[in-house]
C-alpha cells in the first residue's frame, strides 16, 4: 500500500494463494467461497492471522516502521465467540501491537447483521485494530451505516478503478467515493491500480493511497 503522492510504502495487504501440485496457483476467488461453505475459513483465517503476526515480528527487527498490514476478515470468523480473545492472544504471543494491523471487511459482511457486528467492531477498535471496508461501492451500505461503524478506511473496488481514467461514469463514481470518504474523515485507498494513467487520475481526484500491480507485484 503506497502514498500515491510521495510513492512511500505505508503498509501491505496479506494475500492468500493456494499452490496445488499439478494445478499451479489457485486464486482466492476459486477456493475462498468453498472454504466459506465448508467452514474451513475458520482454520484458514486463524492460520493467516498467526502467520502475518509471526512475519510482522520479524519485519520489526529489520525495518524501523513496517507500516500497517491488512488481513481480510470473513463473517464466519467475526461470528465466532472466540474470535476477539483469539486475536488478542495471537498479538500478545508474537509481541506485536494491534495498532499495526487492519482488518478488512466487505460491505456485504458489514451490512449482514449490523446489530451483532457493531459491538464486535467497536471492541476490536478499542483494542487498537484499524478497520476498513473492502471492495467499497459494490455493496449496499448507507451513509448512516458508515457513520455508525468504527471504520477508518474505505477501499475503492478495482472494478471502478480499472476504467476510471477513461470512462466518465466510473470516474464520477470514484470521485464521489473519494469526496464522501474524506468528508467523513476516512482514509481512502484505491485497489487494483495497474497503469500510470489510473494513478494520475486518482491522485488528482484526491485519493491519497493505493495498491496494485503498478506499485508492486503480489
Amino acid at each position: 500500500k503506497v502514498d500515491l503522492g510521495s510513492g512511500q510504502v505505508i503498509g501491505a495487504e496479506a494475500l492468500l494463494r493456494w499452490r496445488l501440485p499439478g494445478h499451479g496457483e489457485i486464486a482466492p476467488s476459486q477456493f475462498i467461497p468453498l472454504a466459506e461453505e465448508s467452514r474451513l475459513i475458520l482454520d484458514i483465517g486463524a492460520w493467516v492471522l498467526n502467520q502475518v503476526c509471526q512475519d510482522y515480528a520479524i519485519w520489526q527487527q529489520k525495518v524501523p516502521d513496517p507500516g500497517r498490514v491488512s488481513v481480510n476478515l470473513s463473517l464466519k470468523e467475526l461470528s465466532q465467540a472466540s474470535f476477539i480473545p483469539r486475536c488478542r492472544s495471537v498479538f500478545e504471543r508474537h509481541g506485536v501491537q494491534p495498532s499495526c494491523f487492519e482488518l478488512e471487511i466487505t460491505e456485504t459482511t458489514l451490512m449482514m447483521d449490523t446489530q451483532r457486528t457493531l459491538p464486535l467492531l467497536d471492541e476490536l477498535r478499542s483494542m487498537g485494530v484499524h478497520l476498513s471496508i473492502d471492495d467499497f461501492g459494490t455493496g449496499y451500505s448507507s451513509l448512516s451505516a458508515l457513520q455508525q461503524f468504527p471504520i477508518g478506511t474505505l477501499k475503492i473496488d478495482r472494478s471502478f478503478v480499472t476504467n476510471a481514467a477513461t470512462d466518465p461514469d466510473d470516474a464520477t463514481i470514484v470521485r464521489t467515493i473519494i469526496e464522501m470518504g474524506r468528508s467523513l474523515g476516512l482514509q481512502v485507498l484505491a485497489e487494483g491500480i495497474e497503469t500510470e494513467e489510473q494513478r494520475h487520475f486518482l491522485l488528482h481526484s484526491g485519493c491519497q493511497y493505493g495498491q496494485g500491480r503498478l506499485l508492486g507485484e503480489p
Side-chain angles (χ1 to χ4, degrees):
K1 295 187 289 188
V2 170
D3 184 307
L4 294 177
S6 67
Q8 180 182 357
V9 175
I10 54 132
E13 178 181 352
L15 296 174
L16 194 63
R17 296 292 185 271
W18 181 11
R19 293 192 177 97
L20 187 61
H23 295 272
E25 193 172 89
I26 299 177
S29 58
Q30 290 181 268
F31 68 84
I32 290 295
L34 293 173
E36 290 268 8
E37 285 178 30
S38 64
R39 296 184 67 82
L40 278 171
I41 195 67
L42 301 178
D43 294 328
I44 291 173
W47 180 86
V48 167
L49 183 63
N50 184 74
Q51 187 65 49
V52 169
C53 288
Q54 182 177 309
D55 290 343
Y56 198 91
I58 296 170
W59 297 344
Q60 283 183 311
Q61 298 170 13
K62 300 179 179 180
V63 182
D65 180 14
R68 204 163 51 215
V69 178
S70 302
V71 177
N72 291 283
L73 178 63
S74 79
L75 182 62
K76 281 191 170 67
E77 289 178 275
L78 196 57
S79 300
Q80 277 191 304
S82 62
F83 177 71
I84 291 177
R86 181 159 50 80
C87 283
R88 190 178 284 113
S89 173
V90 173
F91 294 143
E92 290 173 356
R93 183 165 71 250
H94 292 287
V96 293
Q97 292 298 317
S99 57
C100 298
F101 299 89
E102 178 173 276
L103 294 179
E104 297 191 4
I105 308 155
T106 64
E107 265 189 287
T108 307
T109 297
L110 193 68
M111 301 308 298
M112 199 161 287
D113 187 357
T114 55
Q115 288 188 327
R116 192 182 190 291
T117 304
L118 182 55
L120 293 173
L121 296 182
D122 281 334
E123 192 172 350
L124 286 166
R125 184 62 175 161
S126 69
M127 283 170 53
V129 177
H130 196 85
L131 300 167
S132 68
I133 300 183
D134 196 15
D135 303 335
F136 188 77
T138 59
Y140 302 97
S141 60
S142 63
L143 277 173
S144 59
L146 289 179
Q147 288 176 306
Q148 75 181 70
F149 284 108
I151 299 298
T153 302
L154 293 185
K155 297 189 73 176
I156 306 172
D157 187 67
R158 66 176 60 244
S159 62
F160 301 120
V161 172
T162 299
N163 298 313
T166 55
D167 184 286
D169 291 337
D170 282 349
T172 299
I173 291 171
V174 169
R175 287 197 188 99
T176 301
I177 293 173
I178 293 169
E179 290 171 14
M180 182 178 66
R182 289 167 65 98
S183 68
L184 291 172
L186 304 176
Q187 294 181 349
V188 181
L189 182 145
E191 299 179 290
I193 303 174
E194 298 190 353
T195 68
E196 187 58 42
E197 290 75 22
Q198 292 167 350
R199 188 196 70 83
H200 185 269
F201 167 81
L202 290 160
L203 181 61
H204 287 273
S205 296
C207 185
Q208 189 174 4
Y209 304 112
Q211 66 183 77
R213 292 184 183 275
L214 177 70
L215 309 170
E217 288 290 327

